Amino acid sequence: MNLRSSWVAETGQTREDTRLTQTGVTTMTNPVQVRSGILPGSYGGQYRLAGFWTFGSAAMSATVSEGRAVIQGEISQGVFPVTLPASEVVTFAPGNAQYGRVDLLVLRVYDKLYDGGTRTEATIEIIQGTAAQDPKAPAVPARCLPLYEVTVPAGASAGNGGIPWDRSLKDLRTPVVALGGILPVEGASLEGAYPGQYQDAGGALQRWDGGAWVSYPSALGGIVPSSASTTPASYTGQYRDSTGGQLQRWNGSAWAPAVPGPYFVDNGDFGDTASTTYTSTLGGRTTNPLALSFVAPPSKAIAVSFGCKMRSLSPDHYAYMALRLTQGATVVNDLDDDYATIAASQHMVSVSTTRRLSNLTPGATYTLTAFFRVIVNNLSLKAGFDNTFIKVDPLP
C-alpha cells in the first residue's frame, strides 16, 4: 500500500514517512507537495523576511544569517525542514581574468537514496556559474532553494578589492507560511493552491479565486480605498475611492465617475436677436453658442434645467429659449416650443424650466445647445437674454 503514516507503525517508520506526513510549516502547491521557501519574520518585526539574509563581510566572503526553511523534494520524497541556528560565512572563488560570472548561493539537500551518491545532509552551497561576456546564473539542481545570485566581476579577488557587495547581490528568497496562513509576497507572485488562499502582496491583501489573485476589496465587493487606488481593477462594476476623493467605477477599460455630473454651464453676458427662427448666436456676446456636453448615466435618464433673464420689449412679442439635444452630428431631441422658456415683457424677467430626457445610451456623450428667437416681430424688436444657463442632473 502506498499510504504513508507517522507514529502508527510500531517499527519501520522511515525518514520518507516522516517527511511526507508533515503538516506544519507548509504552503501547498498541490495536494501532496509544498512550496520551497523561508519562514518569514525578523527581530523586532521590522522586516517581512530576515531568514538567511546575506551581506558582504570580506572582500570575497559573505555572511549568511540564521533562518529556517523547507525544501520540497520529489513527490514521493517529501519535504525537508532545515534550520541555520547561527550565521555562517561563505567564500567565493576569485573572478575570471577576462569575464565576469554569476554564482548561486543556495540551500541544498543531499539524499543518497535519490541522488545515487554517498551524501545525506543539508548544506549552504555556492554553485559557481560560467564566466562569459554576458554571464547567466547556473541551473538550479534538484532539492535546492536559491537564496541569492552573486555577480563576481572579472578579476575579482581578495587582493584587488573583491566583490562590490552593494551591487552584486540579487535577492531570490521567497517565503512560506503554515497551511492556511497569509503569505507575505516577496519577489514573484506564484499561483495559489486552492480557492480561498490569501496572500499579502505588499499593500493589497489578495485572495486566490481558482484562477487569479483577486485584491481583497474586490473579493468582498467593497470599495477600494484611496490608499490602494493603484490596485488594478478585477471586474466591471468594481468601485474605488480615488486619490481626489471621487467615487469611481471600473467600466471594463477605465475608471470613470460612479455618479457622473452634475453638469453646468452659464453665460453672464447680455445678448439679443431679432430672428424669428431659432438661432444659437446672440448679438453682443463674445462667446456663442451656449452648449453643454454630458455623459449619459446607467439609468438612461437625466433632468435638464435651463433658463435666463429675458425681455421682448413688448407684451405683444414673445422671447423664446429652447434646447437641442445631439449625439455627435445626430439630432436626438430637436427644438420644441412646448418645452421652451417664454416671456413677453418690456422688462427683464427671470424664467427657467426643468424637463426629463429618457432612453439615452449609457456612457454615450451628448450635447445640449441653447437656441433663441422672438415672435411676432412686426416692429423689428430684439429679444434680449442675460445670465443664460444649462444644468444636467443624472437621474438614478
Side-chain angles (χ1 to χ4, degrees):
M1 181 179 289
N2 289 326
L3 185 66
R4 304 296 185 96
S5 65
S6 293
W7 320 122
V8 173
E10 294 181 4
T11 60
Q13 179 171 321
T14 67
R15 289 171 293 173
E16 284 180 338
D17 292 333
T18 304
R19 292 193 300 264
L20 282 165
T21 54
Q22 289 183 104
T23 56
V25 182
T26 51
T27 298
M28 304 301 294
T29 58
N30 58 50
V32 178
Q33 293 178 294
V34 303
R35 184 184 302 179
S36 297
I38 298 168
L39 278 64
S42 62
Y43 297 110
Q46 293 179 286
Y47 306 101
R48 296 159 71 91
L49 195 61
F52 300 99
W53 177 63
T54 299
F55 58 93
S57 52
M60 298 298 293
S61 298
T63 297
V64 182
S65 302
E66 60 271 26
R68 298 177 65 194
V70 292
I71 301 172
Q72 174 66 53
E74 296 178 20
I75 192 167
S76 62
Q77 195 174 14
V79 62
F80 297 86
V82 298
T83 301
L84 181 66
S87 61
E88 183 168 323
V89 175
V90 293
T91 300
F92 291 80
N96 177 272
Q98 185 177 7
Y99 296 118
R101 72 171 191 271
V102 177
D103 294 349
L104 271 182
L105 177 64
V106 302
L107 301 179
R108 186 170 186 177
V109 171
Y110 289 89
D111 186 349
K112 65 182 181 182
L113 295 178
Y114 287 79
D115 299 334
T118 60
R119 302 174 67 181
T120 300
E121 62 178 325
T123 66
I124 297 176
E125 282 191 11
I126 298 169
I127 301 177
Q128 188 170 308
T130 301
Q133 190 170 2
D134 183 20
K136 307 294 182 184
V140 181
R143 291 171 292 284
C144 266
L145 176 62
L147 299 177
Y148 287 85
E149 286 184 4
V150 180
T151 301
V152 181
S157 68
N160 67 357
I163 298 172
W165 295 108
D166 59 338
R167 60 179 185 275
S168 291
L169 288 169
K170 181 181 178 181
D171 195 348
L172 302 178
R173 297 172 300 157
T174 56
V176 291
V177 293
L179 180 64
I182 296 176
L183 182 70
V185 176
E186 291 288 326
S189 181
L190 304 179
E191 290 186 350
Y194 57 90
Q197 183 180 2
Y198 282 88
Q199 69 175 19
D200 179 359
L205 185 62
Q206 297 178 329
R207 178 184 181 276
W208 182 256
D209 68 357
W213 289 106
V214 180
S215 296
Y216 174 78
S218 64
L220 295 185
I223 298 173
V224 180
S226 59
S227 60
S229 61
T230 57
T231 302
S234 299
Y235 59 89
T236 300
Q238 183 180 5
Y239 288 87
R240 77 170 183 182
D241 179 14
S242 72
T243 55
Q246 183 186 51
L247 183 63
Q248 296 179 326
R249 178 183 182 274
W250 181 255
N251 62 16
S253 59
W255 288 104
V259 182
Y263 304 86
F264 183 84
V265 67
D266 65 346
N267 190 325
D269 291 341
F270 177 84
D272 56 19
T273 181
S275 176
T276 57
T277 59
Y278 278 115
T279 177
S280 61
T281 301
L282 291 178
R285 279 193 169 175
T286 58
T287 303
N288 283 292
L290 179 70
L292 176 64
S293 294
F294 65 92
V295 177
S299 66
K300 307 179 183 181
I302 59 170
V304 181
S305 301
F306 64 98
C308 62
K309 292 171 64 177
M310 64 171 66
R311 70 184 182 197
S312 62
L313 293 178
S314 168
D316 296 325
H317 292 67
Y318 292 85
Y320 285 75
M321 175 183 178
L323 298 182
R324 173 179 286 162
L325 177 67
T326 56
Q327 183 183 9
T330 303
V331 176
V332 178
N333 202 296
D334 210 351
L335 303 167
D336 190 334
D337 288 349
D338 288 342
Y339 297 102
T341 58
I342 308 171
S345 172
Q346 59 186 337
H347 305 292
M348 298 293 289
V349 293
S350 294
V351 184
S352 66
T353 188
T354 300
R355 65 171 300 195
R356 176 190 178 103
L357 294 178
S358 304
N359 298 320
L360 304 177
T361 301
T365 298
Y366 293 84
T367 300
L368 286 164
T369 304
F371 285 78
F372 310 89
R373 69 169 176 159
V374 57
I375 61 170
V376 175
N377 199 10
N378 49 21
L379 299 178
S380 299
L381 300 177
K382 289 185 178 181
F385 304 87
D386 200 1
N387 297 337
T388 51
F389 76 91
I390 305 172
K391 183 174 184 288
V392 171
D393 289 294
L395 294 176

